[in-house]
Amino acid sequence: MIDLGQKPLIVGEKIILRPFQNGDFPYIEECLKDPEVLKLTGSDAGFNRDTVHQWYDTRNEQTDRLDLAIVDRFQDILVGEVVLNLYEEKSNSMNFRILIGPKGRNRGLGTEATQQIIDYAFKNTNLNQLTLSVYDFNPRAKKVYEKVGFVVESIDENDLEFEGEWVDSINMKLTREIWQK
Ligand SMILES: CC(C)(COP(=O)(O)OP(=O)(O)OC[C@H]1O[C@@H](n2cnc3c(N)ncnc32)[C@H](O)[C@@H]1OP(=O)(O)O)[C@@H](O)C(=O)NCCC(=O)NCCS
């Protein structure tokens, strides 16, 4: 069992991680529609606006996952999100994912947001490990994950077809043991 019903406010140096709130939708929508985000997360541009709006309206009610907005403290706007989801009882592990839209990238916000949510997860739950997947054509994300301690566990070859090319998916993990070091 995991209980992530309490949604924290995490204040970092460059970012704040906080629960989604009214008024966030245009900002998160801008991130989700960004071509780079769509490509690097393997997502489909044709999402239904109402469904997505409803999705963000209901994130704070979820007890088995944690979805937090990333706010850039300098600009004071929402620039992305971090998510812990897909709890697996057997391995006592969760999946991590992150996306940052065009207004927030390449200024260290992703590194800090990743470090902050990982620290929160290991300090406030008894999870054994976090896992994630990153496409091989996303060296920036892989670099961020390596910086905070994730290591490659396996590779799903030819996992995604993008513009006629097959792309591998790299599965990474961060155990509590490695995090503690
Ligand atoms: C991946 C993502 C979260 C990273 O956040 P960010 O704020 O842009 O990244 P940061 O500025 O914190 O750090 C990027 C690091 O990668 C490095 N980097 C940038 N481009 C790189 C490249 N092509 N190859 C290798 N390293 C690269 C930077 O130098 C930096 O490392 P450093 O701090 O040691 O110099 C963000 O860019 C993002 O959400 N992108 C779009 C969606 C996405 O890729 N999501 C992840 C899917 S798995």
Side-chain angles (χ1 to χ4, degrees):
M1 256 286 281
I2 188 91
D3 185 0
L4 290 166
Q6 283 285 104
K7 309 300 177 189
L9 174 77
I10 302 171
V11 181
E13 203 181 301
K14 297 177 183 161
I15 52 104
I16 291 175
L17 303 181
R18 60 148 175 80
F20 284 95
Q21 60 192 35
N22 285 342
D24 281 345
F25 186 65
Y27 294 92
I28 193 71
E29 188 184 26
E30 183 184 335
C31 301
L32 297 172
K33 279 164 63 176
D34 174 51
E36 211 171 304
V37 166
L38 289 168
K39 174 184 172 184
L40 297 174
T41 59
S43 305
D44 186 354
F47 58 77
N48 179 292
R49 268 192 105 219
D50 291 342
T51 310
V52 176
H53 204 154
Q54 163 105 9
W55 173 265
Y56 285 97
D57 276 353
T58 54
R59 289 312 82 201
N60 298 341
E61 301 157 18
Q62 313 300 314
T63 58
D64 62 347
R65 54 182 289 147
L66 183 59
D67 301 73
L68 296 174
I70 305 172
V71 174
D72 175 359
R73 292 189 68 184
F74 181 69
Q75 302 181 83
D76 196 21
I77 56 165
L78 185 160
V79 291
E81 68 174 353
V82 282
V83 178
L84 295 176
N85 62 359
L86 307 175
Y87 174 64
E88 267 198 29
E89 192 145 24
K90 212 170 137 204
S91 53
N92 193 21
S93 112
M94 288 186 88
N95 176 72
F96 164 70
R97 67 176 175 76
I98 181 168
L99 64 84
I100 296 181
K103 293 190 175 136
R105 291 191 287 260
N106 301 319
R107 288 186 286 118
L109 309 190
T111 302
E112 193 183 328
T114 303
Q115 188 68 63
Q116 290 281 359
I117 192 148
I118 287 166
D119 290 350
Y120 179 84
F122 283 125
K123 284 179 188 164
N124 292 279
T125 73
N126 67 353
L127 286 170
N128 277 339
Q129 64 173 13
L130 297 174
T131 59
L132 62 81
S133 295
V134 54
Y135 291 120
D136 197 27
F137 60 22
N138 194 356
R140 175 178 54 195
K142 189 162 176 253
K143 174 81 187 292
V144 169
Y145 303 148
E146 281 167 346
K147 277 200 291 178
V148 302
F150 279 89
V151 294
V152 175
E153 186 173 41
S154 63
I155 293 177
D156 295 334
E157 285 183 14
N158 302 329
D159 195 39
L160 173 81
E161 190 183 358
F162 185 80
E163 294 179 349
E165 300 276 330
W166 284 97
V167 185
D168 293 348
S169 188
I170 303 163
N171 302 309
M172 304 181 81
K173 73 169 180 184
L174 173 59
T175 60
R176 176 178 289 276
E177 223 182 331
I178 293 177
W179 169 78
Q180 270 163 345
K181 282 184 187 158

